[in-house]
DNA sequence: AACATGGTCAACCGCTAGTTA
DNA sequence: ATAACTAGCGGTTGACCATGT
């Protein structure tokens, strides 16, 4: 495998993005999508490397980004998922709609890890970081499930009922991804240069077709990676006891 | 008021995996 | 089969800000 060539340093701007650059990137992606990040800055007229554009879009400009502090539930979800998935931030982020892997990583390193260490040092092994009694794995699991439902993604079937035996009414990992893939962003959004970024982003909420039938479950799909395995486990298992087999890390 | 320290978070770096020719 | 290339991921950095001394 060839080594990916580094971004051309010559003439490439680095550091914080300006509002003007943001607007250019947003407008371009609205119009043309982002099928080729490397070529994007050139076509859009940005003096940034494709990597930088991609990062800026994913971590900051994407319309479904949820700004603001993490809720206690979200924090607990991160902790629970981290216990299972480790430092797989993108996988954890996939379970927290509106949150980015970068953001979750930051929160983990700046808040949660410290709080956990503190709790452990103080012998608080029966409580979670929010001080909520954590008596069973079933309780813990319900927190993971609930965290996918609030705010933007409450518009579909994202409330995962682990007791629900009807897989046709549940979302697969791919289904969730489908909600936020590039075709979604590029297809449904029209450009309006007259408005501020924030306004436009707000307006995008709810554009997902709530009656969409894309949420069908594919029983025959294979487990492509661990993430899907765990997701499968979370969403289909009616027997919470299965988690008792998960080793503590 | 000035400086030191620590926390936060956006952005960058280097790597791997996947895709294409 | 393999080299070239891109996208995406996780680790790390550094600028900025708040707070403490």
């Amino acid at each position: 495998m060839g080594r990916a060539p580094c971004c051309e340093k010559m003439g490439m701007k680095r550091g914080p993005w300006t509002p003007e650059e943001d607007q250019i990137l947003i407008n371009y992606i609205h119009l043309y999508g982002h099928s080729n990040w490397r070529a994007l800055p050139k076509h859009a007229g940005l003096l940034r490397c494709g990597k930088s554009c991609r990062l800026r879009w994913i971590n900051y400009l994407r319309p479904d980004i949820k700004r603001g502090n993490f809720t206690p539930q979200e924090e607990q979800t991160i902790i629970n998922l981290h216990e299972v998935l480790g430092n797989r931030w993108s996988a954890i982020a996939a379970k927290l709609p509106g949150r980015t892997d970068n953001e979750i990583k930051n929160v983990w390193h700046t808040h949660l890890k410290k709080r956990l260490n503190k709790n452990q040092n103080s012998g608080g092994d029966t409580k979670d970081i929010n001080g909520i009694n954590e008596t069973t794995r079933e309780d813990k699991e319900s927190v993971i499930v609930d965290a996918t439902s609030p705010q933007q993604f409450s518009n579909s079937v994202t409330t995962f009922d682990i007791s629900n035996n009807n897989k046709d009414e549940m979302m697969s990992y791919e289904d969730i991804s489908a909600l936020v893939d590039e075709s979604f962003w590029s297809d449904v959004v029209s450009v309006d240069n007259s408005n501020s970024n924030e306004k436009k982003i707000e307006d995008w909420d709810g554009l997902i077709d709530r009656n969409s039938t894309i949420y069908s479950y594919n029983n025959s799909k294979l487990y492509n990676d661990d993430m899907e395995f765990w997701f499968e486990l979370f969403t289909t298992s009616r027997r919470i006891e299965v988690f008792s087999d998960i080793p503590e890390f």
Side-chain angles (χ1 to χ4, degrees):
Chain A
M1 243 175 291
R3 175 82 174 85
C6 201
C7 299
E8 297 113 290
K9 301 288 191 296
M10 292 296 291
M12 288 297 174
K13 191 179 171 194
R14 300 180 57 191
W17 281 63
T18 65
E20 290 75 21
E21 288 177 311
D22 285 344
Q23 195 58 56
I24 291 170
L25 183 58
I26 289 168
N27 289 346
Y28 183 88
I29 290 176
H30 288 179
L31 287 170
Y32 306 109
H34 51 71
S35 56
N36 187 339
W37 284 113
R38 194 174 167 82
L40 188 150
K42 188 180 167 188
H43 294 146
L46 286 165
L47 291 174
R48 298 275 183 173
C49 71
K51 241 179 173 180
S52 182
C53 293
R54 179 186 156 272
L55 217 60
R56 184 62 179 171
W57 174 256
I58 287 174
N59 288 335
Y60 199 83
L61 299 176
R62 241 172 44 189
D64 65 328
I65 295 294
K66 193 192 293 181
R67 315 302 304 177
N69 295 335
F70 279 63
T71 66
Q73 267 197 350
E74 285 177 314
E75 291 181 346
Q76 190 57 49
T77 300
I78 293 169
I79 288 169
N80 294 342
L81 287 172
H82 186 270
E83 191 179 336
V84 174
L85 300 170
N87 291 1
R88 297 182 59 191
W89 307 115
S90 61
I92 295 171
K95 299 295 168 225
L96 288 163
R99 301 299 190 182
T100 68
D101 55 351
N102 205 32
E103 199 176 12
I104 290 169
K105 186 168 56 180
N106 283 335
V107 163
W108 173 261
H109 283 127
T110 57
H111 293 110
L112 306 183
K113 196 165 72 174
K114 288 174 194 167
R115 251 188 280 176
L116 274 181
N117 289 338
K118 198 175 165 186
N119 280 355
Q120 283 171 0
N121 291 339
S122 61
D125 53 354
T126 59
K127 291 191 171 195
D128 67 16
I129 54 138
N130 300 307
I132 302 166
N133 283 328
E134 186 181 278
T135 54
T136 66
R137 286 193 171 273
E138 190 168 359
D139 293 339
K140 186 190 292 184
E141 200 52 40
S142 69
V143 174
I144 292 174
V145 169
D146 287 343
T148 58
S149 60
Q151 301 182 29
Q152 286 98 326
F153 274 64
S154 61
N155 55 5
S156 62
V157 292
T158 51
T159 299
F160 299 122
D161 182 356
I162 55 178
S163 66
N164 186 349
N165 202 30
N166 184 358
K167 288 183 175 183
D168 289 339
E169 293 178 11
M170 300 173 72
M171 295 178 74
S172 71
Y173 178 51
E174 287 86 354
D175 292 337
I176 290 174
S177 299
L179 287 176
V180 294
D181 72 7
E182 65 180 75
S183 62
F184 165 67
W185 304 123
S186 56
D187 286 347
V188 301
V189 178
S190 62
V191 180
D192 182 356
N193 287 328
S194 65
N195 291 338
S196 70
N197 298 354
E198 282 188 22
K199 179 70 174 84
K200 280 196 291 187
I201 287 168
E202 284 173 13
D203 289 342
W204 289 4
D205 288 345
L207 284 173
I208 299 171
D209 180 2
R210 292 165 197 236
N211 298 317
S212 171
T213 57
I214 66 170
Y215 306 129
S216 63
Y217 185 89
N218 181 1
N219 275 329
S220 64
K221 78 183 181 67
L222 300 173
Y223 298 124
N224 291 329
D225 56 23
D226 294 344
M227 187 62 228
E228 291 188 34
F229 169 78
W230 287 112
F231 183 72
E232 202 73 7
L233 210 55
F234 290 153
T235 55
T236 62
S237 173
R238 296 176 62 203
R239 292 172 55 83
I240 298 300
E241 291 80 9
V242 70
F243 289 102
S244 64
D245 294 329
I246 301 172
E248 297 289 345
F249 297 108

